[in-house]
């Protein structure tokens, strides 16, 4: 079962603005009337637990939780698979009407909008082994409002056989080498374009942020009180990406249909693109027998004075205030958080474990390509945990398209973006 999640993984950003009015981090439970954290009862889980989950996770979870039900014979888990394209409306309607499930699968970018509808995580559930960036996405006012379930990051997929044909012994680690490889792919292997890069449209700015972060740029200052979108580092990173389009190494109007990037990599038409772990089985299936030996993955190349840093996201599991069975819900989340369970979940759907110790399992160490994702996860950043980020990101998409497709000056575009972001504010 192959997911088409590049769009879905970014879909979470759009939902948060619709779920609450106002901007910024939520106030404390005392200020908002939020529920106190549940204390887990002793003994097995009982009763019915309702779960909503999107995409492949929603399709696979019902069968996956059977061992939990067997270990807790008086509990019944009911999973509803929710399509990504209607998920935000479904959750929003349920919150407004008090008809939420016990557990919701919430993208990490949704958290600022959903926090007021969730109960704090019980102290019984330990997240000390979870990737810190994932915990950060759940943390508001010194309380956690969800438990990270799986994590995601972006690395570069590339054709290893064509790499040799292009005259490279290994994948380049810096910007200069990446451009040289893109040009060599095009000139020496017959590729139409050397690399696929987002040139405009929804979340195109977010898709290019790994290059900005790898150049030392930041979208905000450390305490998220000021936008820093027009910094010299951001100008340099967008100018670098723009050079791929100006020099004909990347397509200004690429096919954005699901699966098109994978098809182009398999055919050799475009031998490089950025994506997540779900594309490993997808490419193996699309390429057929033996193709698993013809592609690899690599961490994002570092900027001139930067380090390899990529985008991180994922999904969290939260229990709603209107949950009918919060005790059993948290026990199910606790079970799904166990490292061995997360390793089995990876085998089932290719979701990268949020628990770092799960990465020692053979399920993750067997494929060296998965290890590259683990390496990249040691150097990642997340999108700002502000509701206003949705509007800022959309404004950035417009400017990116005007640069890459329309030839707009990078400094002028980022100055306009900075002004727009300042007017939207941070909500702090």
């Amino acid at each position: 079962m192959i997911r088409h999640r590049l769009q879905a993984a970014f879909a979470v950003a759009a939902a948060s603005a619709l779920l609450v009015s106002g901007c910024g981090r939520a106030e404390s439970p005392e200020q908002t009337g939020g529920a106190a954290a549940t204390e887990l009862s002793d003994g097995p889980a009982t009763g019915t637990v309702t779960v909503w989950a999107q995409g492949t996770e929603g399709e696979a979870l019902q069968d996956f939780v059977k061992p939990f039900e067997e270990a807790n014979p008086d509990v019944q888990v009911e999973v509803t698979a929710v399509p990504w394209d209607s998920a935000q409306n479904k959750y929003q309607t349920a919150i407004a009407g008090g008809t939420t499930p016990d557990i919701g699968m919430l993208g990490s970018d949704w958290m600022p909008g959903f926090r007021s509808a969730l109960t704090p995580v019980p102290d019984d559930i330990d997240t000390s082994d979870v990737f810190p960036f994932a915990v950060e996405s759940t943390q508001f006012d010194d309380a956690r409002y969800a438990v990270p379930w799986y994590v995601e990051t972006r690395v570069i997929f590339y054709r290893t056989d064509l790499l040799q044909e292009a005259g490279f012994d290994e994948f380049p680690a810096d910007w200069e080498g990446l451009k040289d490889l893109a040009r060599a792919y095009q000139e020496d292997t017959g590729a139409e374009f050397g690399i696929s890069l987002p040139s405009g449209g929804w979340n195109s700015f977010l898709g290019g942020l790994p290059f900005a972060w790898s150049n030392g740029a930041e979208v905000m200052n450390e305490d998220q009180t000021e936008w820093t979108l027009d910094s010299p580092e951001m100008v340099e990173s967008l100018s670098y990406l723009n050079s791929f389009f100006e020099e004909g190494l990347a397509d200004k109007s690429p096919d954005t249909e699901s699966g098109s990037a994978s098809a182009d990599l398999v055919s050799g038409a475009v031998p490089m693109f950025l994506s997540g772990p779900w594309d490993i089985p997808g490419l193996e299936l699309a390429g057929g027998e033996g193709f698993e030996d013809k592609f690899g993955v690599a961490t994002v190349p570092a900027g001139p004075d930067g380090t390899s840093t990529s985008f991180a996201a994922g999904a969290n599991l939260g229990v709603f205030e209107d949950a009918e069975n919060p005790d059993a819900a948290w026990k199910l989340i606790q079970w799904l958080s166990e490292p061995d369970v997360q390793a089995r979940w990876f085998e089932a759907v290719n979701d990268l474990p949020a628990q770092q110790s799960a990465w020692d399992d053979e399920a993750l160490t067997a494929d060296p390509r998965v290890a590259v994702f683990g390496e990249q996860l040691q150097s990642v950043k997340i999108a700002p945990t502000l509701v206003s980020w949705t509007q800022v990101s959309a404004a950035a998409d417009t400017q990116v398209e005007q640069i890459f497709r329309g030839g707009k000056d990078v400094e002028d575009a980022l100055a306009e973006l900075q002004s727009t972001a300042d007017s939207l504010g941070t909500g702090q």
Side-chain angles (χ1 to χ4, degrees):
M1 182 163 37
I2 305 302
R3 78 188 75 215
H4 300 301
R5 274 193 6 203
L6 180 58
Q7 181 177 2
F10 292 142
V12 295
S16 56
L18 300 175
L19 293 168
V20 294
S21 59
C23 297
R25 292 179 180 269
E27 297 174 327
S28 65
E30 290 77 16
Q31 293 169 307
T32 63
T38 301
E39 291 186 7
L40 297 187
S41 66
D42 295 330
T46 62
T48 299
V49 180
T50 55
V51 185
W52 288 359
Q54 291 80 258
T56 303
E57 288 76 15
E59 297 168 6
L61 187 58
Q62 186 69 72
D63 288 337
F64 186 81
V65 299
K66 287 181 179 178
F68 175 79
E69 293 177 314
E70 292 170 359
N72 300 267
D74 293 324
V75 77
Q76 180 179 358
V77 180
E78 296 181 353
V79 179
T80 298
V82 180
W84 273 111
D85 58 3
S86 62
Q88 55 184 307
N89 289 332
K90 187 174 179 67
Y91 278 111
Q92 183 182 18
T93 300
I95 290 170
T99 57
T100 61
D102 295 315
I103 298 173
M105 170 185 158
L106 311 174
S108 57
D109 285 353
W110 287 16
M111 294 306 299
F114 275 103
R115 173 260 172 269
S116 61
L118 300 170
T119 60
V121 177
D123 292 337
D124 310 67
I125 297 180
D126 182 14
T127 56
S128 61
D129 184 46
V130 173
F131 283 102
F133 71 83
V135 177
E136 180 185 348
S137 74
T138 72
Q139 191 95 21
F140 299 87
D141 300 302
D142 299 322
R144 296 167 296 153
Y145 287 89
V147 175
W149 188 17
Y150 65 82
V151 294
E152 293 178 352
T153 189
R154 303 292 180 271
V155 300
I156 297 184
F157 284 71
Y158 67 99
R159 285 287 296 270
T160 53
D161 56 338
L162 298 182
L163 181 85
Q164 302 293 324
E165 190 176 328
F168 283 72
D169 294 326
E170 58 184 10
F171 194 86
D174 58 27
W175 281 7
E176 182 180 2
L178 181 66
K179 181 176 282 189
D180 288 343
L181 176 58
R183 184 174 292 109
Y185 269 144
Q186 194 176 50
E187 294 178 352
D188 300 334
T189 75
E192 185 177 359
F193 296 100
I195 188 171
S196 177
L197 294 169
S199 62
W202 187 38
N203 279 312
S204 54
F205 177 72
L206 191 64
L209 273 180
F211 291 94
W213 285 325
S214 294
N215 194 43
E218 300 286 352
V219 296
M220 302 194 77
N221 61 359
E222 188 173 355
D223 59 1
Q224 294 194 126
T225 58
E226 295 180 5
W227 298 99
T228 58
L229 294 160
D230 61 350
S231 69
E233 294 84 1
M234 188 69 76
V235 171
E236 185 177 24
S237 63
L238 282 185
S239 297
Y240 171 72
L241 290 175
N242 191 36
S243 69
F244 283 86
F245 299 106
E246 290 180 328
E247 296 172 29
L249 299 172
D251 189 356
K252 291 184 178 182
S253 302
D255 185 352
T256 57
E257 286 295 316
S258 180
S260 59
S262 294
D264 285 342
L265 189 136
V266 169
S267 71
V270 188
M272 285 193 289
F273 68 90
L274 274 77
S275 192
W278 54 87
D279 267 320
I280 292 178
L283 282 167
E284 291 176 346
L285 180 63
E289 185 177 357
F291 190 72
E292 68 271 13
D293 298 323
K294 295 182 179 180
F295 76 94
V297 297
T299 55
V300 176
D305 297 309
T307 59
S308 173
T309 304
S310 191
F311 171 77
N316 304 323
L317 296 174
V319 174
F320 289 100
E321 286 187 345
D322 291 325
E324 294 185 3
N325 193 354
D327 183 70
W330 284 121
K331 288 177 178 177
L332 174 58
I333 292 174
Q334 188 175 45
W335 179 78
L336 288 168
S337 300
E338 294 175 7
D340 63 320
V341 174
Q342 293 209 335
R344 295 201 304 272
W345 184 238
F346 169 79
E347 290 184 289
V349 298
N350 250 58
D351 281 345
L352 301 177
Q355 294 281 358
Q356 296 181 77
S357 58
W359 285 76
D360 295 329
D361 192 282
E362 185 179 359
L364 285 98
T365 60
D367 187 342
R369 290 171 298 200
V370 176
V372 174
F373 282 94
E375 179 185 353
Q376 188 69 79
L377 283 166
Q378 300 304 315
S379 181
V380 292
K381 293 182 183 294
I382 62 174
T385 52
L386 303 168
V387 174
S388 56
W389 166 248
T390 303
Q391 297 166 285
V392 172
S393 181
D397 292 341
T398 299
Q399 296 292 350
V400 162
E401 185 165 338
Q402 290 175 2
I403 295 169
F404 296 159
R405 296 181 183 176
K408 189 172 185 177
D409 180 76
V410 174
E411 290 191 20
D412 290 345
L414 288 178
E416 291 180 19
L417 177 60
Q418 180 70 37
S419 178
T420 299
D422 288 342
S423 66
L424 290 169
T426 66
Q428 297 277 32

